[in-house]
Amino acid sequence: EILVRAGLVSAREGGGYYDRFRDRLMFPIYNQWGRVVGFGGRVLPFGDQTGPKYLNTPETTVFNKSRLLYGFHLAKGHIRSAGSAIIVEGYTDVIAAHQAGFKNVVASLGTSLTEGQGKLLFSQAREILIGYDADTAGQSATWRGFNLLQDLGCGVKVIELPAGSDPDSFICREGADKFGRLIGLAKP
């Protein structure tokens, strides 16, 4: 019953339970104080391909994705030090950026930046750079996030990635130096 309430398993119609995150690569999601409050799972190429590519823990009393940012507990000190935050879409984008030395990077849990997430960023820095994927969904999310952050009083810049790229693939293909140059060329 606890696992059902936590969103880790679901009840089967005929009785019993199944793992909601089966055949997925798991990403623990922490709150701003470093406590695990949920999980994200990415489908694996050999697993069950019938569900969504990414699956998050459902909303619970401790997991409200509209008020959480992936990697924030690790990045908040770096965000304050840098005076800026970089927001990206995905878990692997954050991981690749941190491994490449960009420690002020966080992800909105999905492409829709919420007011709660924006306020959390604004509490740490006044300048926010958006580095969403260079696809149609990422471009739409960039405009929504840009307007939301500006309305909160943030200075906002956009990191322009090459078509078809995301921060993870760009860093892996082109390296940290070139990603740093894209950050430096971010446009208001």
Side-chain angles (χ1 to χ4, degrees):
E1 193 57 38
I2 291 170
L3 293 174
V4 170
R5 284 197 323 261
L8 294 172
V9 300
S10 295
R12 290 189 192 278
E13 286 185 30
Y17 302 92
Y18 67 92
D19 176 5
R20 288 187 76 240
F21 293 102
R22 67 193 174 283
D23 296 330
R24 292 178 182 273
L25 177 61
M26 298 296 295
F27 297 90
I29 300 171
Y30 296 81
N31 65 14
Q32 62 185 339
W33 301 284
R35 294 187 192 107
V36 175
V37 294
F39 296 92
R42 187 192 189 289
V43 72
L44 295 170
F46 57 81
D48 177 8
Q49 300 288 315
T50 58
K53 182 177 177 181
Y54 284 97
L55 181 67
N56 284 329
T57 296
E59 298 287 314
T60 67
T61 54
V62 296
F63 183 78
N64 181 327
K65 75 178 192 173
S66 68
R67 295 191 307 241
L68 296 167
L69 291 163
Y70 184 75
F72 185 76
H73 70 293
L74 298 173
K76 64 184 174 183
H78 300 284
I79 291 170
R80 281 192 304 270
S81 295
S84 65
I86 299 170
I87 188 155
V88 296
E89 284 182 44
Y91 310 119
T92 57
D93 296 328
V94 172
I95 292 167
H98 279 247
Q99 287 176 333
F102 304 99
K103 306 288 187 185
N104 62 332
V105 178
V106 297
S108 52
L109 301 171
T111 56
S112 295
L113 183 67
T114 67
E115 185 175 348
Q117 292 168 331
K119 287 179 178 179
L120 190 56
L121 288 170
F122 189 67
S123 74
Q124 304 300 308
R126 297 299 180 253
E127 182 178 74
I128 312 297
L129 290 81
I130 301 173
Y132 285 159
D133 297 2
D135 57 18
T136 304
Q139 290 172 354
S140 295
T142 296
W143 280 112
R144 287 190 309 271
F146 185 89
N147 291 324
L148 185 147
L149 291 166
Q150 267 196 326
D151 289 347
L152 290 173
C154 299
V156 187
K157 292 183 178 179
V158 176
I159 300 168
E160 292 187 271
L161 292 160
S165 292
D166 59 34
D168 175 29
S169 65
F170 185 85
I171 291 168
C172 290
R173 189 178 58 251
E174 301 293 334
D177 289 342
K178 286 190 179 180
F179 187 66
R181 280 189 227 129
L182 287 183
I183 292 169
L185 295 172
K187 295 181 179 176

